[in-house]
Amino acid sequence: MQNKGKIITGLVIFIALFTFPFIYRMGKAAPAPDVVLTPKALAAKQCVRSTDYMTAEHMQLLDIWREKVVREGQRLYVTTDGRAFNMSLSNTCLDCHSNKAEFCDRCHDYASVKPYCWECHIDNPKGEKQ
Amino acid sequence: MNVNYIFSLIVVLALFLLAYVGVEAAGLQWLFGVVIPYAAVLIFIGGFISRILSWARSPVPFRIPTVGGQGRSLPWIKPNPIDSPSSSGSVVVRMLLEILLFRSLFRNTRADLVEGDKLAYRLEKWLWLFSLLFHYSFLVVFLRHFRFFLDPVPGCVQLLETLDGFLRIEFVNDAIQVGLPGFYISGLVLLAAATFLLLRRMFSAQVKYISLSSDYFPLFLIMGIAFTGIIMRYFLKTDIVAAKALVMGLVSFHPVFDPALTKSVSGVFYGHLFFVCVLLIYFPFSKLMHLGGIFLSPTRNLPNDTRMNRHVNTWNYPVEVHTYEEYEDEYREKMIEAGLPVEKE
């Protein structure tokens, strides 16, 4: 084999890069984060839409709410089962989920998403101690 | 219609259906979510190593660089150190430009008959441009996915996400909604560039003539990966946190079989994952090995220095030689007796 040293070095670097996630974790489990529901949310029992929809598509709901309020001037959202909500990020979502750090942020940190909403929207409308 | 691409397309569609039906109807989450991904990674690594070693074992008897410029010769002739490198430094520069910028593709020409029967060559930059777009957007998409493989997610991955999400394209109407989660440029560029490469093979007569299923299949497969990914991000959203938990289970060797998690990600996710596994398995045995092969290309990685150094063919048969000096040592006395001239007395 010619240039054995160089080829083996290259291969080792490639394999190390490719298996980097395995090396980085060193076999420690990294389970999904536990999200905490506030007493208010627990009392309400259900979210604005079905739990499946909220888990996967809550950003879509927020986008539609924003569009409705900001561009169409509607503020009332009525669910299919007749419950009415004020379409508001800080006043509705964070009313039930006032524990943003243990709810929204836990998931978002795990999935590496940083919503830019909080540059303008207040993230602790009730002024609770965090 | 061409049997080569129809066949590849059907295979790719069938692969997707296999995974989709496998999890949605047969409940084979453990197979498509754990067994196949581990097998794919092992086959990829093993296949990659054995392919590289088999290339490394083949002898390189001659210097065969393909040069595109004046080689080093007399001092008053200006050499072109990059296109005809004579030192290892120049070879490194040449290789870097080749790997990072696809320099030789930049010289791509196309032949056409003009004015009836005159053969004319034109520079053709589109292939270079779209290959570059394709490879770099694929790289960005690949690196972005490390947010699913690493926990905690390192800052460089987050920086890449921010840069990739620079164009905040937002679009809402009753039917579609794009904008939250943020729009990534790389995904769309990847799909568009792969589509260009595919259309080129399908509609350019010369390229179509030399294209086989093994050219179409990886393109369809990569388009399938990009397409299912885009679908999952913007349209049929899936539970990302559960998806990451499954992937982290694999990465940390604590595979997840808990139906609460494996069932909350959609069939599209398993289709996407299965495509990636097929790509990994197919990779070492296909033309995609140019990832490693480019480094071992003797027409690129050898210096053009045949007039400076002597290169001995490594597969030369070891010929036993008996030099004249040894011959004389052996027969000196007899030669002197017979009156023959000798060099040493």
Side-chain angles (χ1 to χ4, degrees):
Chain A
M1 197 192 282
Q2 281 164 286
N3 295 314
K4 200 173 182 177
K6 282 184 203 157
I7 294 173
I8 302 290
T9 318
L11 258 183
V12 169
I13 292 176
F14 177 75
I15 303 296
L17 284 179
F18 186 76
T19 52
F20 177 66
F22 298 94
I23 302 169
Y24 188 73
R25 208 54 222 170
M26 296 295 281
K28 267 203 293 15
D34 283 327
V35 293
V36 180
L37 292 174
T38 57
K40 175 146 190 188
L42 283 174
K45 288 212 185 67
Q46 47 175 326
C47 198
V48 177
R49 300 270 299 257
S50 72
T51 315
D52 282 350
Y53 179 88
M54 290 313 288
T55 313
E57 315 210 14
H58 57 277
M59 45 287 191
Q60 177 163 347
L61 183 71
L62 282 171
D63 208 8
I64 292 167
W65 279 18
R66 175 170 65 177
E67 178 82 5
K68 285 266 182 306
V69 172
V70 180
R71 302 222 189 279
E72 295 170 23
Q74 303 170 21
R75 287 193 183 260
L76 200 67
Y77 179 83
V78 184
T79 60
T80 40
D81 56 357
R83 290 173 298 140
F85 289 98
N86 172 19
M87 291 192 268
S88 171
L89 175 58
S90 297
N91 298 334
T92 307
C93 305
L94 293 197
D95 179 34
C96 282
H97 303 298
S98 55
N99 55 343
K100 177 170 164 288
E102 284 118 39
F103 190 77
C104 316
D105 293 353
R106 284 227 175 130
C107 276
H108 292 167
D109 288 346
Y110 188 65
S112 172
V113 265
K114 289 178 299 273
Y116 58 87
C117 322
W118 318 114
E119 288 168 21
C120 301
H121 289 266
I122 184 166
D123 60 357
N124 186 9
K126 295 178 184 168
E128 287 170 1
K129 273 206 229 107
Q130 301 260 316
Chain B
M1 291 281 252
N2 173 317
V3 64
N4 288 328
Y5 65 73
I6 296 297
F7 173 72
S8 306
L9 180 62
I10 291 176
V11 170
V12 170
L13 292 177
L15 287 173
F16 181 80
L17 282 181
L18 188 68
Y20 191 85
V21 174
V23 297
E24 294 281 328
L28 293 175
Q29 274 87 351
W30 58 271
L31 180 65
F32 289 98
V34 178
V35 177
I36 293 178
Y38 274 135
V41 168
L42 286 179
I43 293 174
F44 175 78
I45 294 179
F48 198 96
I49 293 180
S50 78
R51 198 74 193 272
I52 293 285
L53 290 185
S54 81
W55 282 334
R57 269 196 292 270
S58 34
V60 185
F62 312 114
R63 303 280 108 167
I64 51 165
T66 44
V67 297
Q70 173 65 48
R72 174 169 293 286
S73 80
L74 297 168
W76 40 271
I77 299 181
K78 199 172 162 234
N80 182 338
I82 294 174
D83 284 321
S84 183
S86 59
S87 66
S88 17
S90 310
V91 170
V92 170
V93 174
R94 187 186 198 206
M95 288 294 284
L96 281 180
L97 289 177
E98 182 67 31
I99 292 167
L100 300 178
L101 298 175
F102 306 173
R103 193 152 179 270
S104 60
L105 203 54
F106 194 66
R107 277 195 277 255
N108 184 36
T109 53
R110 79 178 265 189
D112 274 321
L113 288 179
V114 293
E115 294 171 20
D117 55 354
K118 282 193 208 144
L119 185 62
Y121 292 94
R122 281 190 278 144
L123 279 181
E124 219 273 312
K125 303 283 187 222
W126 293 111
L127 178 61
W128 170 79
L129 181 70
F130 279 92
S131 312
L132 214 57
L133 284 175
F134 173 78
H135 284 85
Y136 275 100
S137 54
F138 205 156
L139 180 68
V140 171
V141 169
F142 177 69
L143 292 178
R144 256 205 291 105
H145 275 72
F146 276 74
R147 78 168 162 137
F148 296 115
F149 307 144
L150 305 178
D151 188 62
V153 182
C156 50
V157 175
Q158 296 185 340
L159 179 70
L160 189 66
E161 284 176 325
T162 314
L163 293 178
D164 199 1
F166 178 75
L167 292 184
R168 272 187 192 158
I169 294 179
E170 306 203 341
F171 181 80
V172 188
N173 72 14
D174 289 340
I176 36 179
Q177 174 272 338
V178 173
L180 287 185
F183 173 79
Y184 283 144
I185 308 161
S186 56
L188 194 65
V189 173
L190 174 62
L191 191 59
T195 309
F196 172 87
L197 297 179
L198 178 72
L199 293 180
R200 170 180 166 270
R201 283 201 183 274
M202 283 167 42
F203 293 109
S204 163
Q206 290 102 320
V207 194
K208 182 174 175 180
Y209 183 69
I210 55 166
S211 296
L212 303 171
S213 302
S214 61
D215 297 307
Y216 292 111
F217 178 68
L219 271 174
F220 279 123
L221 193 62
I222 291 169
M223 286 170 73
I225 294 174
F227 186 72
T228 45
I230 288 174
I231 287 282
M232 263 192 299
R233 182 169 177 85
Y234 305 108
F235 305 109
L236 302 171
K237 298 191 177 62
T238 194
D239 182 350
I240 303 284
V241 170
K244 177 161 181 178
L246 297 184
V247 174
M248 286 311 295
L250 296 178
V251 166
S252 63
F253 301 109
H254 291 81
V256 179
F257 297 102
D258 177 7
L261 278 175
T262 58
K263 288 222 159 63
S264 60
V265 285
S266 62
V268 182
F269 170 79
Y270 286 98
H272 186 69
L273 183 65
F274 188 53
F275 273 163
V276 175
C277 294
V278 171
L279 186 70
L280 285 177
I281 295 171
Y282 179 70
F283 200 99
F285 311 101
S286 69
K287 66 176 209 166
L288 299 175
M289 264 310 281
H290 68 275
L291 168 66
I294 182 84
F295 293 94
L296 300 185
S297 305
T299 57
R300 305 280 142 190
N301 68 12
L302 292 176
N304 180 19
D305 61 355
T306 33
R307 299 190 192 175
M308 299 176 206
N309 298 327
R310 175 158 188 250
H311 300 286
V312 179
N313 185 346
T314 44
W315 70 42
N316 275 351
Y317 186 76
V319 181
E320 264 186 48
V321 286
H322 194 223
T323 62
Y324 179 71
E325 282 161 4
E326 289 163 358
Y327 171 86
E328 201 184 277
D329 288 345
E330 201 175 333
Y331 295 109
R332 184 166 294 112
E333 268 118 70
K334 291 191 175 119
M335 289 169 79
I336 294 173
E337 261 173 44
L340 291 175
V342 287
E343 286 186 350
K344 272 191 267 172
E345 290 294 331

PDB file of all heavy atoms in Angstrom, chain A residues 72-94:
ATOM      1  N   GLU A  72     -56.289  41.174   9.773  1.00  0.00           N
ATOM      2  CA  GLU A  72     -57.730  41.167   9.536  1.00  0.00           C
ATOM      3  C   GLU A  72     -58.529  41.784  10.672  1.00  0.00           C
ATOM      4  O   GLU A  72     -59.748  41.908  10.584  1.00  0.00           O
ATOM      5  CB  GLU A  72     -58.214  39.727   9.267  1.00  0.00           C
ATOM      6  CG  GLU A  72     -57.614  39.175   7.979  1.00  0.00           C
ATOM      7  CD  GLU A  72     -57.866  37.690   7.810  1.00  0.00           C
ATOM      8  OE1 GLU A  72     -58.830  37.171   8.404  1.00  0.00           O
ATOM      9  OE2 GLU A  72     -57.080  37.047   7.089  1.00  0.00           O
ATOM     10  N   GLY A  73     -57.843  42.128  11.767  1.00  0.00           N
ATOM     11  CA  GLY A  73     -58.510  42.812  12.858  1.00  0.00           C
ATOM     12  C   GLY A  73     -59.521  41.979  13.631  1.00  0.00           C
ATOM     13  O   GLY A  73     -60.355  42.518  14.338  1.00  0.00           O
ATOM     14  N   GLN A  74     -59.474  40.635  13.486  1.00  0.00           N
ATOM     15  CA  GLN A  74     -60.352  39.805  14.318  1.00  0.00           C
ATOM     16  C   GLN A  74     -59.590  39.384  15.554  1.00  0.00           C
ATOM     17  O   GLN A  74     -58.418  39.056  15.453  1.00  0.00           O
ATOM     18  CB  GLN A  74     -60.749  38.531  13.570  1.00  0.00           C
ATOM     19  CG  GLN A  74     -61.426  38.758  12.248  1.00  0.00           C
ATOM     20  CD  GLN A  74     -61.548  37.449  11.484  1.00  0.00           C
ATOM     21  OE1 GLN A  74     -61.494  36.380  12.068  1.00  0.00           O
ATOM     22  NE2 GLN A  74     -61.693  37.571  10.184  1.00  0.00           N
ATOM     23  N   ARG A  75     -60.242  39.335  16.709  1.00  0.00           N
ATOM     24  CA  ARG A  75     -59.532  38.929  17.900  1.00  0.00           C
ATOM     25  C   ARG A  75     -60.126  37.705  18.572  1.00  0.00           C
ATOM     26  O   ARG A  75     -59.522  37.155  19.487  1.00  0.00           O
ATOM     27  CB  ARG A  75     -59.470  40.076  18.910  1.00  0.00           C
ATOM     28  CG  ARG A  75     -58.509  41.169  18.483  1.00  0.00           C
ATOM     29  CD  ARG A  75     -58.195  42.137  19.589  1.00  0.00           C
ATOM     30  NE  ARG A  75     -57.335  43.187  19.073  1.00  0.00           N
ATOM     31  CZ  ARG A  75     -56.020  43.204  19.253  1.00  0.00           C
ATOM     32  NH1 ARG A  75     -55.428  42.250  19.924  1.00  0.00           N
ATOM     33  NH2 ARG A  75     -55.296  44.188  18.748  1.00  0.00           N
ATOM     34  N   LEU A  76     -61.293  37.273  18.093  1.00  0.00           N
ATOM     35  CA  LEU A  76     -61.947  36.162  18.780  1.00  0.00           C
ATOM     36  C   LEU A  76     -61.774  34.873  17.992  1.00  0.00           C
ATOM     37  O   LEU A  76     -61.996  34.830  16.785  1.00  0.00           O
ATOM     38  CB  LEU A  76     -63.441  36.469  18.960  1.00  0.00           C
ATOM     39  CG  LEU A  76     -64.089  35.638  20.063  1.00  0.00           C
ATOM     40  CD1 LEU A  76     -63.519  36.038  21.424  1.00  0.00           C
ATOM     41  CD2 LEU A  76     -65.590  35.812  20.023  1.00  0.00           C
ATOM     42  N   TYR A  77     -61.350  33.825  18.691  1.00  0.00           N
ATOM     43  CA  TYR A  77     -61.154  32.526  18.047  1.00  0.00           C
ATOM     44  C   TYR A  77     -62.107  31.546  18.698  1.00  0.00           C
ATOM     45  O   TYR A  77     -62.119  31.408  19.924  1.00  0.00           O
ATOM     46  CB  TYR A  77     -59.708  32.086  18.256  1.00  0.00           C
ATOM     47  CG  TYR A  77     -59.365  30.738  17.658  1.00  0.00           C
ATOM     48  CD1 TYR A  77     -59.037  30.618  16.316  1.00  0.00           C
ATOM     49  CD2 TYR A  77     -59.351  29.592  18.447  1.00  0.00           C
ATOM     50  CE1 TYR A  77     -58.706  29.400  15.768  1.00  0.00           C
ATOM     51  CE2 TYR A  77     -59.022  28.360  17.914  1.00  0.00           C
ATOM     52  CZ  TYR A  77     -58.695  28.278  16.565  1.00  0.00           C
ATOM     53  OH  TYR A  77     -58.362  27.070  16.034  1.00  0.00           O
ATOM     54  N   VAL A  78     -62.950  30.909  17.893  1.00  0.00           N
ATOM     55  CA  VAL A  78     -63.901  29.956  18.462  1.00  0.00           C
ATOM     56  C   VAL A  78     -63.506  28.568  17.988  1.00  0.00           C
ATOM     57  O   VAL A  78     -63.343  28.325  16.795  1.00  0.00           O
ATOM     58  CB  VAL A  78     -65.348  30.282  18.045  1.00  0.00           C
ATOM     59  CG1 VAL A  78     -66.312  29.336  18.740  1.00  0.00           C
ATOM     60  CG2 VAL A  78     -65.666  31.723  18.387  1.00  0.00           C
ATOM     61  N   THR A  79     -63.308  27.647  18.947  1.00  0.00           N
ATOM     62  CA  THR A  79     -62.903  26.291  18.574  1.00  0.00           C
ATOM     63  C   THR A  79     -64.105  25.524  18.055  1.00  0.00           C
ATOM     64  O   THR A  79     -65.254  25.955  18.212  1.00  0.00           O
ATOM     65  CB  THR A  79     -62.329  25.544  19.792  1.00  0.00           C
ATOM     66  OG1 THR A  79     -63.348  25.499  20.780  1.00  0.00           O
ATOM     67  CG2 THR A  79     -61.116  26.243  20.333  1.00  0.00           C
ATOM     68  N   THR A  80     -63.842  24.359  17.457  1.00  0.00           N
ATOM     69  CA  THR A  80     -64.938  23.562  16.899  1.00  0.00           C
ATOM     70  C   THR A  80     -65.908  23.133  17.998  1.00  0.00           C
ATOM     71  O   THR A  80     -67.089  22.936  17.742  1.00  0.00           O
ATOM     72  CB  THR A  80     -64.395  22.318  16.167  1.00  0.00           C
ATOM     73  OG1 THR A  80     -63.315  21.801  16.930  1.00  0.00           O
ATOM     74  CG2 THR A  80     -63.962  22.657  14.766  1.00  0.00           C
ATOM     75  N   ASP A  81     -65.388  22.978  19.244  1.00  0.00           N
ATOM     76  CA  ASP A  81     -66.322  22.582  20.306  1.00  0.00           C
ATOM     77  C   ASP A  81     -66.871  23.786  21.067  1.00  0.00           C
ATOM     78  O   ASP A  81     -67.322  23.660  22.202  1.00  0.00           O
ATOM     79  CB  ASP A  81     -65.675  21.554  21.248  1.00  0.00           C
ATOM     80  CG  ASP A  81     -64.372  22.061  21.841  1.00  0.00           C
ATOM     81  OD1 ASP A  81     -63.955  23.180  21.474  1.00  0.00           O
ATOM     82  OD2 ASP A  81     -63.763  21.346  22.657  1.00  0.00           O
ATOM     83  N   GLY A  82     -66.758  24.980  20.440  1.00  0.00           N
ATOM     84  CA  GLY A  82     -67.487  26.123  20.962  1.00  0.00           C
ATOM     85  C   GLY A  82     -66.815  26.938  22.042  1.00  0.00           C
ATOM     86  O   GLY A  82     -67.423  27.853  22.584  1.00  0.00           O
ATOM     87  N   ARG A  83     -65.545  26.649  22.379  1.00  0.00           N
ATOM     88  CA  ARG A  83     -64.879  27.492  23.372  1.00  0.00           C
ATOM     89  C   ARG A  83     -64.298  28.711  22.664  1.00  0.00           C
ATOM     90  O   ARG A  83     -63.831  28.618  21.534  1.00  0.00           O
ATOM     91  CB  ARG A  83     -63.767  26.713  24.067  1.00  0.00           C
ATOM     92  CG  ARG A  83     -64.305  25.622  24.997  1.00  0.00           C
ATOM     93  CD  ARG A  83     -63.195  24.762  25.537  1.00  0.00           C
ATOM     94  NE  ARG A  83     -62.488  24.062  24.486  1.00  0.00           N
ATOM     95  CZ  ARG A  83     -61.164  23.898  24.466  1.00  0.00           C
ATOM     96  NH1 ARG A  83     -60.427  24.396  25.426  1.00  0.00           N
ATOM     97  NH2 ARG A  83     -60.599  23.247  23.478  1.00  0.00           N
ATOM     98  N   ALA A  84     -64.326  29.855  23.322  1.00  0.00           N
ATOM     99  CA  ALA A  84     -63.849  31.085  22.689  1.00  0.00           C
ATOM    100  C   ALA A  84     -62.561  31.540  23.352  1.00  0.00           C
ATOM    101  O   ALA A  84     -62.402  31.448  24.576  1.00  0.00           O
ATOM    102  CB  ALA A  84     -64.902  32.177  22.804  1.00  0.00           C
ATOM    103  N   PHE A  85     -61.595  31.973  22.537  1.00  0.00           N
ATOM    104  CA  PHE A  85     -60.322  32.473  23.056  1.00  0.00           C
ATOM    105  C   PHE A  85     -60.011  33.812  22.422  1.00  0.00           C
ATOM    106  O   PHE A  85     -60.310  34.043  21.247  1.00  0.00           O
ATOM    107  CB  PHE A  85     -59.186  31.502  22.720  1.00  0.00           C
ATOM    108  CG  PHE A  85     -59.239  30.223  23.495  1.00  0.00           C
ATOM    109  CD1 PHE A  85     -59.802  29.082  22.931  1.00  0.00           C
ATOM    110  CD2 PHE A  85     -58.724  30.159  24.782  1.00  0.00           C
ATOM    111  CE1 PHE A  85     -59.846  27.898  23.637  1.00  0.00           C
ATOM    112  CE2 PHE A  85     -58.772  28.973  25.491  1.00  0.00           C
ATOM    113  CZ  PHE A  85     -59.330  27.835  24.924  1.00  0.00           C
ATOM    114  N   ASN A  86     -59.374  34.675  23.217  1.00  0.00           N
ATOM    115  CA  ASN A  86     -58.799  35.903  22.691  1.00  0.00           C
ATOM    116  C   ASN A  86     -57.498  35.505  22.007  1.00  0.00           C
ATOM    117  O   ASN A  86     -56.632  34.906  22.622  1.00  0.00           O
ATOM    118  CB  ASN A  86     -58.549  36.861  23.864  1.00  0.00           C
ATOM    119  CG  ASN A  86     -57.775  38.084  23.429  1.00  0.00           C
ATOM    120  OD1 ASN A  86     -57.716  38.401  22.251  1.00  0.00           O
ATOM    121  ND2 ASN A  86     -57.181  38.760  24.406  1.00  0.00           N
ATOM    122  N   MET A  87     -57.361  35.820  20.693  1.00  0.00           N
ATOM    123  CA  MET A  87     -56.174  35.373  19.977  1.00  0.00           C
ATOM    124  C   MET A  87     -54.979  36.215  20.390  1.00  0.00           C
ATOM    125  O   MET A  87     -54.712  37.264  19.810  1.00  0.00           O
ATOM    126  CB  MET A  87     -56.387  35.488  18.473  1.00  0.00           C
ATOM    127  CG  MET A  87     -57.395  34.488  17.956  1.00  0.00           C
ATOM    128  SD  MET A  87     -57.383  34.395  16.192  1.00  0.00           S
ATOM    129  CE  MET A  87     -58.625  35.577  15.773  1.00  0.00           C
ATOM    130  N   SER A  88     -54.289  35.770  21.435  1.00  0.00           N
ATOM    131  CA  SER A  88     -53.170  36.564  21.920  1.00  0.00           C
ATOM    132  C   SER A  88     -52.080  35.649  22.445  1.00  0.00           C
ATOM    133  O   SER A  88     -52.352  34.681  23.175  1.00  0.00           O
ATOM    134  CB  SER A  88     -53.641  37.502  23.024  1.00  0.00           C
ATOM    135  OG  SER A  88     -52.529  38.112  23.619  1.00  0.00           O
ATOM    136  N   LEU A  89     -50.868  35.958  22.073  1.00  0.00           N
ATOM    137  CA  LEU A  89     -49.737  35.139  22.505  1.00  0.00           C
ATOM    138  C   LEU A  89     -49.517  35.282  24.011  1.00  0.00           C
ATOM    139  O   LEU A  89     -49.553  34.308  24.759  1.00  0.00           O
ATOM    140  CB  LEU A  89     -48.485  35.553  21.714  1.00  0.00           C
ATOM    141  CG  LEU A  89     -47.164  34.905  22.096  1.00  0.00           C
ATOM    142  CD1 LEU A  89     -47.243  33.406  21.974  1.00  0.00           C
ATOM    143  CD2 LEU A  89     -46.046  35.431  21.200  1.00  0.00           C
ATOM    144  N   SER A  90     -49.306  36.501  24.458  1.00  0.00           N
ATOM    145  CA  SER A  90     -48.963  36.689  25.864  1.00  0.00           C
ATOM    146  C   SER A  90     -50.182  36.538  26.776  1.00  0.00           C
ATOM    147  O   SER A  90     -50.073  36.035  27.884  1.00  0.00           O
ATOM    148  CB  SER A  90     -48.344  38.070  26.080  1.00  0.00           C
ATOM    149  OG  SER A  90     -47.145  38.159  25.351  1.00  0.00           O
ATOM    150  N   ASN A  91     -51.358  36.975  26.300  1.00  0.00           N
ATOM    151  CA  ASN A  91     -52.509  36.981  27.195  1.00  0.00           C
ATOM    152  C   ASN A  91     -53.271  35.668  27.212  1.00  0.00           C
ATOM    153  O   ASN A  91     -54.043  35.416  28.126  1.00  0.00           O
ATOM    154  CB  ASN A  91     -53.476  38.112  26.811  1.00  0.00           C
ATOM    155  CG  ASN A  91     -52.801  39.456  26.945  1.00  0.00           C
ATOM    156  OD1 ASN A  91     -51.863  39.610  27.729  1.00  0.00           O
ATOM    157  ND2 ASN A  91     -53.239  40.427  26.155  1.00  0.00           N
ATOM    158  N   THR A  92     -53.138  34.845  26.198  1.00  0.00           N
ATOM    159  CA  THR A  92     -53.872  33.583  26.191  1.00  0.00           C
ATOM    160  C   THR A  92     -52.952  32.396  26.442  1.00  0.00           C
ATOM    161  O   THR A  92     -53.077  31.694  27.437  1.00  0.00           O
ATOM    162  CB  THR A  92     -54.637  33.410  24.866  1.00  0.00           C
ATOM    163  OG1 THR A  92     -55.430  34.564  24.667  1.00  0.00           O
ATOM    164  CG2 THR A  92     -55.506  32.190  24.902  1.00  0.00           C
ATOM    165  N   CYS A  93     -51.992  32.190  25.541  1.00  0.00           N
ATOM    166  CA  CYS A  93     -51.088  31.040  25.713  1.00  0.00           C
ATOM    167  C   CYS A  93     -50.394  31.135  27.059  1.00  0.00           C
ATOM    168  O   CYS A  93     -50.366  30.182  27.833  1.00  0.00           O
ATOM    169  CB  CYS A  93     -50.028  30.996  24.632  1.00  0.00           C
ATOM    170  SG  CYS A  93     -50.661  31.007  22.967  1.00  0.00           S
ATOM    171  N   LEU A  94     -49.821  32.317  27.341  1.00  0.00           N
ATOM    172  CA  LEU A  94     -49.051  32.445  28.566  1.00  0.00           C
ATOM    173  C   LEU A  94     -49.948  32.695  29.767  1.00  0.00           C
ATOM    174  O   LEU A  94     -49.463  32.882  30.879  1.00  0.00           O
ATOM    175  CB  LEU A  94     -48.003  33.559  28.432  1.00  0.00           C
ATOM    176  CG  LEU A  94     -46.880  33.287  27.432  1.00  0.00           C
ATOM    177  CD1 LEU A  94     -45.723  34.218  27.679  1.00  0.00           C
ATOM    178  CD2 LEU A  94     -46.413  31.852  27.452  1.00  0.00           C
TER     179      LEU A  94
END
